[in-house]
């Protein structure tokens, strides 16, 4: 009886293990998750002090829906060149791309 129970439990674990987890096919973006995490990290280290850790604003404006108003290219231009009372930021290259893409997703 113990062998039968062990075999049933082991078999169930194998079947459930094979069926669960692997959402790899559902992630069509490839590196999107990594880029999103990078964008958020760059935001935290360069922008959060003025725009808030939750994008709700502070010394700078609220960015919770900035993507509804600006494209990633427009956001990159604002970060590079500044606008209004915001000075140009020292973010460029892949960091700028990741940051502006991440912010453009906020709608």
């Amino acid at each position: 009886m113990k062998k039968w129970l062990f075999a049933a439990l082991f078999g169930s674990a194998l079947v459930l293990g094979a069926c669960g987890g692997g959402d790899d096919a559902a992630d069509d973006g490839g590196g999107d998750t990594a880029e999103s995490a990078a964008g958020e990290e760059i935001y935290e280290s360069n922008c959060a002090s003025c725009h808030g850790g939750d994008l709700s604003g502070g010394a700078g404006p609220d960015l919770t829906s900035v993507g509804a108003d600006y494209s990633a290219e427009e956001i990159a231009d604002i970060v590079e060149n500044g606008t209004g009372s915001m000075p140009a930021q020292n973010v460029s290259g892949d960091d700028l791309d990741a940051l502006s893409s991440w912010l453009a997703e906020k709608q």
Side-chain angles (χ1 to χ4, degrees), residues 29-100:
D32 287 348
T33 303
E35 184 173 311
S36 181
E40 186 172 4
E41 184 177 314
I42 295 161
Y43 173 85
E44 289 294 328
S45 60
N46 292 283
C47 313
S49 61
C50 292
H51 295 283
D54 61 354
L55 291 98
S56 64
D62 181 329
L63 298 178
T64 55
S65 61
V66 68
D69 298 324
Y70 298 103
S71 69
E73 292 79 20
E74 292 170 320
I75 293 169
D77 182 61
I78 291 169
V79 171
E80 279 186 311
N81 301 309
T83 185
S85 63
M86 178 181 149
Q89 301 299 304
N90 189 21
V91 179
S92 60
D94 291 340
D95 287 349
L96 180 60
D97 293 341
L99 174 63
S100 58

Side-chain angles (χ1 to χ4, degrees), residues 21-32:
D23 285 357
D24 295 341
D27 185 15
D28 296 332
D32 287 348

